[in-house]
Amino acid sequence: MRTLATLPLAVVLLLPLLASLLFILPGVADLDSFRALANHPQFWGALALSLATGLASTAGSLVLALGIIFAAKGKHLSSRAGLFLAVPHVSFAIGLAFLIMPAGLLARAVALAAGWTMPPQWVTTQDPWGLALAAALVLKETPFLVWAFASLLAREDLAAGFAGQRAVARSLGHGEASTFLRVIVPQLLPQALGPLIAVLAYGMTVVDMALVIGPTQPPTLAQLAWTDLSDAEPATVARGAAGVLVLCAVVAAILAAASVVLIFSRTHLHRFYAASPRHGAGHGGAAWLLWPALLAIYVAVAAVLLLQSVAAQWPFPYLLPNVSTLHAWTHLLSDPRPVMTSMALALSTTAFAVGATVIWLEWAPCATDRAMNLSALAAVTIPMLLIALGEYRAFLALDLTGTAVALWTAHAVPVCAYVFLLLARPYRAYGTQWAVVAAGLQQGRARFLWRVKWPMLKGPVWAAAAVGFAVSVGQYVPAQLAAAGRFSTLPMEAVTLSSGGNRPLLAVYGIALMALPLGAFLIAAREGRSRWSTP
């Protein structure tokens, strides 16, 4: 039974992951493709842009997330940050582009006060420096890091330790800010290493957001590689694969360099930690504004998507459309296949991931969790472009490209990884005393699971399901390669529309992309409420 319990996750998560990495290896020895990549006229500029946007977005997200955590002063932000995670990257990029473009909502608001009659001649999206892409990544990844930090601080073992250490630091004369920087942050960052690596890898290799709001001349290296991978010429595809490998090598080199810098800076860090107490006011200055400001930006993004979706005529500088229409919405309803495909994939992969994870955690021995945990972490932190390329080559070898099986598997791998990472800890931490009580009442295991344990764990189960659903809906790169043009999902349609001029239809797809995960999170919040209470 224990061996059988490991099969579903092993077949759907481990096998595709190992196969994708195995099929990548031959590309490492293809030196001609690397030479062709180095001779590409946009290669060095694209590499510099990837480095700049990836590093800047990671640093910016980390600083903002720590500021928000400090300003929260112990308030639980994990559930509120979870709602931000429901917004897909593509959907957010579309809305942010409508917000900051020269004729966007922000420029229209300024025009009212400044008396502008024409949009300013500023480049605010697809700028050559990648500033819009970096800003979009910071705004999208900050809630993810806040959620990761808040989840760690909510752990009973860490929370109790931090509370005692805060009291000791205060008694030694350290203010709140000094205590946070010298005591909490040094312990928090190593615990959140996985999410930080995921943010860096995503920022360096993102394709869908870059296609919507990123630079074009030159593009980022991920865009350049993606364009080559979409070509029919084998030599060009090989050059794209070389670009993916170079990107992954650069991410690995950055992580190695960061490790070396940390090792050699220990002496300076210890001096900082042991410095004299800094009293200060300890109220975090303007840090308390960060969370409301982030919320306001997300609300503005949703509002501009709604306005743009019904705008038939919206001349500058009017704040609202002159003429409204539901034509874009009727277009979406007249061809619901992308919506239905995305929903079917999200529901089926999430149901499988939750079921397989529960079976694993219930019947597989705890000793096997480490291997699965490392595999899930690898699926989350290894650049998705690399995994997608390996999966694509494996599907080609198995003659599965363009089939429903390939499309489902491409969605299921990241969904299974996220669901396992979210569910393993609360499931394993379930108290054994409840099983002892049930056994004392002569109740079998099946009745105990159905009537006691699973109802008590439905909160984390529904939360993991909501995240898995959102991850599936937002999949673009692996889905596009696996589908090979034979299937269409919401992210595929949205990215394709972003290169056209039909803004209302693009906004409608952006809203649909956002609405599905938000609905899943609302259902999870309602159904995950505990019916158990302790006196």
Side-chain angles (χ1 to χ4, degrees), residues 313-397:
Q313 293 182 13
W314 196 0
F316 192 86
Y318 294 107
L319 270 179
L320 297 174
N322 278 358
V323 180
S324 301
T325 176
L326 295 177
H327 179 72
W329 286 98
T330 56
H331 185 278
L332 176 72
L333 296 176
S334 65
D335 184 13
R337 284 175 297 178
V339 178
M340 301 307 293
T341 305
S342 288
M343 280 193 66
L345 286 167
L347 288 172
S348 59
T349 54
T350 302
F352 174 86
V354 171
T357 300
V358 168
I359 290 171
W360 177 291
L361 296 172
E362 187 59 42
W363 281 281
C366 295
T368 58
D369 282 5
R370 184 175 177 79
M372 182 54 68
N373 206 47
L374 288 174
S375 302
L377 271 176
V380 172
T381 53
I382 292 177
M384 184 51 69
L385 203 51
L386 183 72
I387 296 176
L389 177 60
E391 287 178 348
Y392 176 65
R393 290 182 169 177
F395 294 147
L396 276 178

